[in-house]
Amino acid sequence: MIVSIFNDVIGPVMRGPSSSHCAAALRIGRLARDLMGGTIDSVLVEFDNAGSLPATHTSQGSDMGLFGGLLGWEADDPRLPNSSDALNGAGIDLQFVYGDFGDPHPNTYRLTLRNKSSKHHLIAISTGGGMMELTQVDGVKVSIGGDYDETLIWLSAKETLDAATVCKNLDADHAQINAADGHSIVQIQSQSPIPDHQLKQLFPNADATAKLSPVLPVRSRKDLSVPFRSCHEMVNYDGDRMTPLWKLAVEYETARGGLNEQQVLEKMCQIVRILRKSVTAGLAGTEYDDRVLGFQSGRFHQLMQQGKLLDGGVLNRTVLYTTALMEVKSSMGVIVAAPTAGACAALPATCLAVGEELGLDDQQIAKGMLAAGLVGVFIATAWTFAAEVGGCQAEGGAASAMSAAALVSFAGGTRDQAVGAASMAMQNTLGLICDPVANRVEVPCLGKNVMAASNALSCANMALSGFDPVIPLDETIAAAKSVAQRMPREHRCTSLGGLAATPTSLEIEKRLSAGCGGGCGCHPKVAGLQIK
């Protein structure tokens, strides 16, 4: 799948502490619901003991998101904190099993779903930032990312048609036919649902059919291509023109999403407006039972207005907005994953705070965020935003790099200065571990978002002053990936190492687990939990 700024980098608009848990799980649940024709009687959820989910699915929102998806909700639905109760109210039996399945990806979901007429088994992975992929259905390999209308056809007899013939007859973009265990599945990707009569005409002996609706805002399409996919390719493509980074981002996203420049700008302006509302909500005060930190941004704001804080200039406003956004996230308010929920505050806070300091309007701020989005494209294409794979360097480090590019763009810096600032910012965060205290994405996540924003501001000014980043951005991303491959599992969002394993963290987790009423989804009423 070719990365989209609005699919993979800045978005989704969501609720919950973690995009790779909440939003991705919700999208997996939505596709699973479609697979069952909208009717589910029971769900068996299996997690690999060696992955991240046994330790984190209850407290980081995987359950909340998955349950909401199984109920057909959107990622920003206000009912999500109570999705556990709603799932029970819908009469869906639920069971969790932890076992040794040998899953290669740490965020692997194995779901077995039943209703009165059918049973299906699927395997899906959360790849970071709310993105996911269904990789297997009923033992047959598939690749479903949520960016197409998908049609699945089950056949017990060998299919004589080839993929090209299927596409031609059904006016589809792509098709593949894979087999396992004596049956095959035809996977068809199209721009709209394929009419039933056409399916029956082409597959008169089909055993079953399922239609899965897209869950991503930007669709893919046949013969999709983009002008570049790495920073090096972008520089070669642009040559000596030195096009501003935001304009190159627009050019990329118009090619990726089939949009025009005005549509791309308006999409990002809508995100800027959502972020402003989120900051306002955070500063007004937030409450939520299942959280480590309370309302802190109000006191900071008060002291800042009274002149009782050290003079940090625009940095103080950035810290204020970062805190407000993180508090909204932790209270299940609406945020934008930018690029993830755990790192949702650094980029928006720097863009809004510095934008206000410079007197920029929403469209000018949107242009900076598009520049940031293009840096995110290079990271997501070559690597990941998932802390379960790369540690917090994949989230906070990416957010800092993206923010630095945005700030250089605000100041009228060049293309090369913007990507140089991004490289420096990411260099400064290599090896950053992910160790959420009490298994909640608050501590040290708030501090790491503040650090990412501060680092971005410093690196932006350094780049504007002519500092040499030395290592090109693509090489820095590759280095971060290499570092991640050597990181122990305990330091990659499993809550098994670092601050997460301290006595204080364990005591806080125990206290929160005992006092939570279950609305957050951390205490779902399930048929049982088994450890294989």
Side-chain angles (χ1 to χ4, degrees):
M1 185 189 300
I2 297 177
V3 170
S4 158
I5 290 174
F6 296 110
N7 281 353
D8 308 73
V9 182
I10 300 180
V13 178
M14 59 167 287
R15 296 177 191 266
S18 166
S19 48
S20 61
H21 287 73
C22 307
L26 185 140
R27 288 167 167 172
I28 291 168
R30 285 276 299 276
L31 294 173
R33 178 183 175 86
D34 286 353
L35 184 66
M36 300 301 293
T39 302
I40 303 171
D41 293 337
S42 67
V43 184
L44 168 65
V45 184
E46 296 175 298
F47 295 140
D48 194 324
N49 283 323
S52 71
L53 289 164
T56 61
H57 74 97
T58 57
S59 56
Q60 292 192 23
S62 298
D63 295 348
M64 181 184 80
L66 180 62
F67 301 163
L70 293 171
L71 293 165
W73 299 351
E74 298 289 344
D76 62 347
D77 195 298
R79 298 171 292 179
L80 274 171
N82 298 311
S83 62
S84 175
D85 291 338
L87 193 79
N88 283 298
I92 299 175
D93 293 327
L94 182 69
Q95 184 178 9
F96 283 88
V97 169
Y98 304 161
D100 297 323
F101 304 113
D103 292 325
H105 197 285
N107 294 340
T108 299
Y109 292 75
R110 294 170 169 265
L111 306 184
T112 302
L113 307 111
R114 292 180 172 86
N115 60 26
K116 290 181 175 60
S117 60
S118 61
K119 170 188 173 183
H120 291 296
H121 177 72
L122 67 84
I123 297 177
I125 58 174
S126 164
T127 57
M131 300 301 290
M132 51 83 232
E133 181 186 10
L134 268 61
T135 61
Q136 193 180 110
V137 172
D138 295 341
V140 178
K141 180 181 177 182
V142 297
S143 179
I144 299 174
D147 53 341
Y148 276 106
D149 273 283
E150 301 273 358
T151 303
L152 301 180
I153 310 291
W154 281 258
L155 301 166
S156 54
K158 181 175 175 58
E159 179 54 58
T160 57
L161 295 172
D162 60 22
T165 302
V166 171
C167 288
K168 181 179 179 181
N169 279 271
L170 298 178
D171 191 27
D173 286 16
H174 302 284
Q176 64 176 0
I177 304 170
N178 291 321
D181 300 326
H183 69 283
S184 61
I185 293 179
V186 184
Q187 178 191 347
I188 306 167
Q189 297 178 318
S190 56
Q191 294 298 314
S192 59
I194 297 173
D196 290 338
H197 72 273
Q198 292 185 15
L199 294 173
K200 290 178 181 178
Q201 186 176 18
L202 193 61
F203 301 102
N205 299 315
D207 296 327
T209 301
K211 295 181 181 181
L212 285 62
S213 298
V215 294
L216 298 181
V218 177
R219 288 174 174 262
S220 293
R221 62 190 185 279
K222 187 178 181 180
D223 299 325
L224 174 63
S225 65
V226 290
F228 43 78
R229 299 181 69 175
S230 69
C231 186
H232 178 72
E233 289 177 1
M234 179 196 71
V235 171
N236 284 345
Y237 170 83
D238 193 47
D240 295 331
R241 290 190 294 272
M242 279 291 177
T243 304
L245 198 59
W246 75 266
K247 279 187 171 291
L248 289 164
V250 168
E251 190 168 348
Y252 176 93
E253 194 64 18
T254 54
R256 171 60 183 84
L259 308 170
N260 60 41
E261 179 174 325
Q262 190 53 46
Q263 288 172 320
V264 171
L265 284 168
E266 180 52 32
K267 268 186 172 292
M268 193 59 80
C269 283
Q270 289 173 2
I271 288 173
V272 171
R273 290 190 282 270
I274 291 169
L275 292 168
R276 286 195 187 281
K277 290 181 180 179
S278 296
V279 169
T280 300
L283 294 178
T286 55
E287 293 182 2
Y288 196 68
D289 289 338
D290 189 58
R291 66 195 280 190
V292 177
L293 299 172
F295 175 44
Q296 301 180 124
S297 58
R299 178 64 171 163
F300 190 95
H301 193 199
Q302 181 184 31
L303 294 177
M304 193 174 116
Q305 290 179 317
Q306 294 172 352
K308 293 183 178 179
L309 299 178
L310 296 175
D311 184 11
V314 72
L315 182 59
N316 279 348
R317 191 194 300 254
T318 301
V319 173
L320 176 66
Y321 288 0
T322 299
T323 307
L325 286 165
M326 291 295 285
E327 289 174 355
V328 169
K329 175 194 67 66
S330 298
S331 61
M332 302 301 150
V334 174
I335 59 162
V336 179
T340 68
C344 70
L347 171 62
T350 54
C351 286
L352 291 175
V354 175
E356 289 173 7
E357 185 79 8
L358 297 174
L360 305 182
D361 60 25
D362 284 357
Q363 186 170 95
Q364 290 171 310
I365 292 174
K367 289 177 179 178
M369 291 191 65
L370 281 165
L374 189 55
V375 170
V377 165
F378 301 148
I379 296 170
T381 298
W383 187 33
T384 184
F385 292 133
E388 297 85 355
V389 175
C392 195
Q393 60 172 355
E395 296 198 23
S400 192
M402 292 162 60
S403 302
L407 297 184
V408 169
S409 298
F410 286 168
T414 67
R415 175 200 73 195
D416 290 352
Q417 286 174 330
V419 297
S423 182
M424 283 190 283
M426 185 164 246
Q427 290 171 34
N428 296 342
T429 60
L430 291 192
L432 192 64
I433 70 171
C434 181
D435 54 343
V437 166
N439 233 327
R440 273 72 176 171
V441 189
E442 297 179 77
V443 181
C445 314
L446 168 59
K448 287 177 178 175
N449 273 260
V450 169
M451 181 198 70
S454 306
N455 181 42
L457 184 60
S458 299
C459 291
N461 279 332
M462 291 165 68
L464 289 166
S465 301
F467 281 58
D468 187 353
V470 182
I471 308 299
L473 178 58
D474 289 337
E475 292 183 25
T476 300
I477 296 169
K481 181 177 181 179
S482 178
V483 168
Q485 291 168 344
R486 291 164 175 80
M487 271 181 147
R489 171 176 175 252
E490 289 79 6
H491 292 168
R492 289 183 280 116
C493 201
T494 56
S495 288
L496 298 174
L499 295 177
T502 60
T504 297
S505 175
L506 298 175
E507 181 59 34
I508 295 172
E509 183 175 12
K510 181 180 177 181
R511 171 172 53 80
L512 288 173
S513 296
C516 178
C520 65
C522 68
H523 290 289
K525 299 173 185 175
V526 298
L529 173 64
Q530 301 177 20
I531 311 296
K532 285 187 176 180

